[in-house]
Structures are given as C-alpha cells and as structure tokens.
C-alpha cells in the first residue's frame, strides 16, 4: 500500500509495533511495502473526510496556533462537543446535570491511561491490587492498564450467545475483584462487530454500580453502525443507572474513526465535572493543550451538515462492504457461514482461521502466511488471556480481522491474493 512507507520508517531506531515487524519481514523476503495490502488497523491514511480537510485549510483562526489556557481543550470545540454528545447520545444538555464534556487532545488511549492513574490515587489498603475487567475478544487495554499496575481479568464475549457478554460472569468477576475494580465496556468497539444488547449493558453497569466499581466506556465506534440500526447507548444507560455515591466513570469517544483522521488525536471525554477536573490536572503534568488548529477545524466541521452527511455515507459504505467481503469469503475461499462474522458495528469483519493453520491456539501462523501473500490482516483479538479464564468462558478458535474501510478494489485484491495462496477454508 503506497502510504505505508511514508508512515513506517523509523530510521535506525527500534520500532516495537507488531505490524511494523510483519512489514519488515515482508520486505526481508523481497516484498515491497508499497504493494502490501494493509488491513490490520482501522486506517487508510488517505480517506480523511474531504470537507474536514478543507475546513482545516480555510477556517482556522489565527489564535488557534497558540496555547490554550483551558485544560479542557479549545473552548470552541468543547462547546460544540457538549451539544454533539448530548444530541448523539440522547442526553439532557450538560448544564446543571451530573456530567460535562472535555476534549481528548492526544488520543483516547492517553485519556484511558490518565483515568487509570486517577483511580490509583484514591486511598486503598496496602495489600489491595487494582483489578481491571476487560472484554475478550477486545482491544489493547492490557497495554494501557498493566503498566500502571492493574491486574487484568477478562470476561468473555460468548460465541454461543451471539458474541454477547454474560452478565452473571461479570458479576462473579466483580465479586472477586474487590472494591478497587475498573470495569471496561466497549459495546460497539469490539473486534466481533457485534452490538451488545441494551439489557446486557444495563445489567453489567448495574452490577458495577452495586459493587461501587469504576466504569470506563470505550465508545470509539459508537457512530459506526449499520444504517437504520441505532447502537446500544451505553453512556445513556450509565447516566440512568448511576447514583450520587457511584464510583468515578469516564466515556471516551474518538472522532478519528468516524471522519478518518486518527492522527488528529481528537475526541470527547464525558464524565462528572470533578472527574474531568482531576483528569485535566493529570494531563497538565505532562503537557499543555495541543493540536489546537485541528480542534478549531473540528469545531467548525461538527456544526456543518456535511459532517452528518459524510457519516451517513460512511455507514452505508461499511455495511455494503461487509456484505461484499463476507460473500467473497464464502464463495471464493470456501469459508462456511459460521466462520465469518460480518457484524453490524465498527469498521472490521472478523473470520475464523482454518484449523490447519492454527498453532497453539493462535492466529499468528496464519497472519504470517497472509503477509507472505501480500496481505496484512489484524489479530482477531488484542486482549491476551490474563490468568485463568472464568469457568463459563469458552475459548473460540483463532480469528483474524479485516479493516473494511479500504476501497473496494483494494479489498478485492487482498481476497484474490489469499485465494491464490490457498489460505481459504
């Protein structure tokens, strides 16, 4: 893929990103990174919303090139985000309510790390080990929370329950986690592409409230769903279930996923005002506000009709592409229906690795074969298995995922290469 070289090169310095290792191996065997079809992360590098790029070029006020004295982001964007979060999550306006909104200025991953640090500053017994409960399959919450000292425990998205979480399993894990637990939810931002049922989300959040556990909602793909199928609104459910004595909570929502501008690092942080103030103090320990020209452009863009139009078209494109890729996996590569999970949310399609390519329960060998064929898929889950699985957990076979945001001809070329390499079912 042509842009890959432009964003990969680290010179003589080490690069520990797993995908970088795969690309280097591909090059070492004679491949050209410009020819590799990259389908691992949700990134195209070239598909930024055209109207947003034009806004950045034409509508950035001169003061946006300096510092901001507000630790909550550029005031213009924060005001727009407060209305945007209220509208898209069907919440009352933030004034006089138990929540407010700030700008995530250096990526939601950094905000999650700051939230983890904030929770660790609360008084605790000397022998207490903070525990984070994370969904599996899931994203790299271990990479964020384990370095802070959290012990990770996973709760399963069960294939025999349509990749839904089990409320009883989460309750059991909360029982054993103690009073310092952090519960992570990602009802749409999960590799299966499944939208968690509202009653299950409510049951899980209710259990967290009853245990006085902190809650982190990762809403990265809340806006990316099949047209006409509104996603489960975990933030609203949380607002309805919380009490005055609830533990701290945070909802993160990146804007990069829905407008193809991941590198901007801009998103929304929704939490109680006191929590946002504490997070701002932690963020200021390492940096001032940043990316203010980008924030100014995003503020103008979100208030335009073009932003909603782009998002609607993106949803339609993803829905169409999921069906098209799933059909080719069935027809041309022989995958049975139960092995392919197109999903209705996020920007990925996930499918099961044929048993003959599975080594030690992992998809790693299959991914290496795909890279040798000129295609780099993502791992089916970025959540390692931390400790023994819960008794009810059933570990599925290995999976990989494909980012469906690439142009159709790129995806067709990737599937053609996998077919020619004999990497079908």
């Amino acid at each position: 893929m042509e842009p890959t070289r432009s964003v990969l090169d680290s010179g003589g310095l080490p690069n520990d990103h797993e995908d970088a290792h795969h690309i280097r191996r591909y090059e070492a065997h004679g491949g050209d990174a410009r020819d590799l079809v990259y389908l691992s992360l949700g990134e195209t590098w070239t598909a930024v919303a055209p109207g947003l790029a034009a806004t950045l070029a034409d509508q950035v006020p001169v003061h946006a090139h300096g510092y901001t004295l507000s630790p909550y982001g550029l005031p213009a964007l924060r005001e727009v985000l407060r209305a945007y979060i209220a509208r898209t999550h069907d919440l009352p306006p933030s004034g006089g309510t138990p929540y407010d909104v700030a700008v995530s200025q250096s990526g939601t991953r950094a905000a999650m790390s700051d939230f983890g640090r904030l929770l660790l500053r609360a008084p605790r017994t000397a022998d207490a080990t903070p525990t984070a409960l994370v969904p599996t399959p899931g994203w790299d919450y271990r990479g964020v929370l384990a370095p802070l000292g959290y012990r990770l425990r996973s709760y399963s998205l069960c294939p025999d329950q349509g990749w839904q979480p089990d409320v009883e399993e989460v309750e059991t894990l909360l029982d054993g986690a103690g009073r310092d637990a952090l519960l992570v939810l990602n009802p749409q931002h999960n590799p299966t592409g499944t939208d968690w049922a509202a009653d299950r989300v409510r049951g899980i959040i209710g259990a967290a409230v009853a245990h006085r556990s902190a809650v982190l909602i990762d809403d990265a793909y809340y806006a990316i769903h099949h047209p006409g199928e509104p996603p489960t609104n975990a933030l609203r459910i949380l607002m309805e279930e919380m009490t005055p004595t609830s533990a701290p909570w945070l909802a993160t929502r990146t804007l990069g996923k829905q407008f193809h501008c991941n590198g901007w690092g801009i998103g929304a942080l929704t939490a109680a005002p006191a929590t946002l103030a504490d997070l701002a103090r932690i963020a200021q320990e390492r940096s001032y506000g940043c990316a203010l020209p980008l924030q100014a452009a995003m503020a103008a863009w979100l208030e335009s009709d073009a932003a909603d139009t782009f998002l609607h078209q993106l949803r339609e494109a993803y829905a169409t592409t999921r069906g098209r890729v799933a059909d080719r996996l069935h027809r041309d590569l022989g995958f049975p229906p139960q092995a392919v999970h197109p999903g209705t949310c996020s920007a990925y399609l996930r499918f099961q690795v044929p048993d003959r390519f599975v080594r030690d329960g992992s998809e790693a060998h299959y991914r290496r074969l795909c890279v040798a064929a000129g295609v780099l898929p993502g791992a089916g889950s970025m959540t390692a298995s931390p400790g023994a699985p819960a008794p009810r957990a059933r570990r599925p076979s290995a999976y990989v995922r494909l980012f469906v945001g690439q142009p159709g001809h790129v995806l067709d070329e990737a599937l053609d290469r996998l077919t020619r390499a004999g990497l079908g079912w």
Side-chain angles (χ1 to χ4, degrees), residues 77-141:
L77 178 56
R78 190 172 81 87
E79 289 302 313
V80 170
L81 282 178
R82 291 171 74 186
Y84 190 76
I85 292 298
R87 173 169 67 88
T88 57
H89 287 273
D90 194 22
L91 302 177
S94 60
T97 64
Y99 81 94
D100 209 329
V101 180
V103 182
S104 171
Q105 304 181 66
S106 55
T108 53
R109 185 181 179 95
M112 293 178 191
S113 178
D114 288 346
F115 186 59
R117 294 175 191 275
L118 171 61
L119 298 177
L120 294 180
R121 295 185 178 185
R124 66 184 66 246
T125 58
D127 59 346
T129 301
T131 301
L133 308 183
V134 301
T136 299
W139 302 115
D140 186 28
Y141 303 113

Side-chain angles (χ1 to χ4, degrees), residues 207-404:
V209 171
H211 285 78
R212 296 202 64 192
S213 299
V215 176
L216 170 62
I217 297 177
D218 181 7
D219 260 342
Y221 280 106
Y222 176 77
I224 306 300
H225 55 83
H226 272 196
E229 298 183 24
T232 293
N233 191 344
L235 177 54
R236 175 164 178 163
I237 292 173
L238 174 63
M239 298 286 292
E240 293 169 347
E241 293 291 325
M242 61 180 288
T243 70
T245 60
S246 295
W249 57 273
L250 172 69
T252 65
R253 181 169 166 185
T254 177
L255 299 174
K257 300 294 188 295
Q258 64 192 57
F259 300 128
H260 284 306
C261 58
N262 290 321
W264 288 30
I266 294 177
L269 306 178
T270 306
T275 299
L276 292 178
D278 288 338
L279 289 173
R281 294 184 184 104
I282 291 175
Q284 282 192 306
E285 292 173 1
R286 53 178 167 77
S287 69
Y288 286 113
C290 61
L292 298 186
L294 304 181
Q295 292 187 46
M298 185 63 73
W301 168 250
L302 282 178
E303 289 193 300
S304 70
D305 292 339
D308 288 339
T309 298
F310 178 87
L311 191 53
H312 176 72
Q313 293 172 343
L314 187 66
R315 290 171 184 150
E316 290 187 329
Y318 279 171
T320 299
T321 302
R322 286 190 189 99
R324 177 182 177 185
V325 172
D327 181 66
R328 286 211 57 189
L329 286 169
H330 297 317
R331 184 184 71 245
D332 299 335
L333 285 99
F335 284 86
Q338 69 273 14
V340 180
H341 306 282
T344 62
C345 297
S346 83
Y348 295 99
L349 179 149
R350 191 167 178 264
F351 65 89
Q352 186 178 339
V353 174
D355 287 344
R356 68 184 185 278
F357 297 124
V358 177
R359 302 288 186 272
D360 300 321
S362 168
E363 78 288 339
H365 176 64
Y366 184 72
R367 287 185 76 202
R368 286 193 290 269
L369 293 175
C370 291
V371 173
V375 181
L376 178 47
S381 175
M382 294 172 69
T383 305
S385 299
R392 295 193 58 168
R394 297 181 182 178
R395 297 296 173 191
S397 299
Y399 287 81
V400 295
R401 70 182 193 278
L402 303 179
F403 173 56
V404 297

Side-chain angles (χ1 to χ4, degrees), residues 21-60:
H21 288 288
H22 282 295
I23 295 171
R24 292 300 191 200
R25 187 179 298 112
Y26 178 69
E27 292 180 314
H29 288 83
D32 186 336
R34 294 173 297 181
D35 186 50
L36 182 68
V37 180
Y38 184 82
L39 301 176
S40 179
L41 293 180
E43 181 59 85
T44 68
W45 291 287
T46 59
V48 60
L52 177 58
T55 301
L56 177 62
D58 301 332
Q59 299 186 37
V60 175

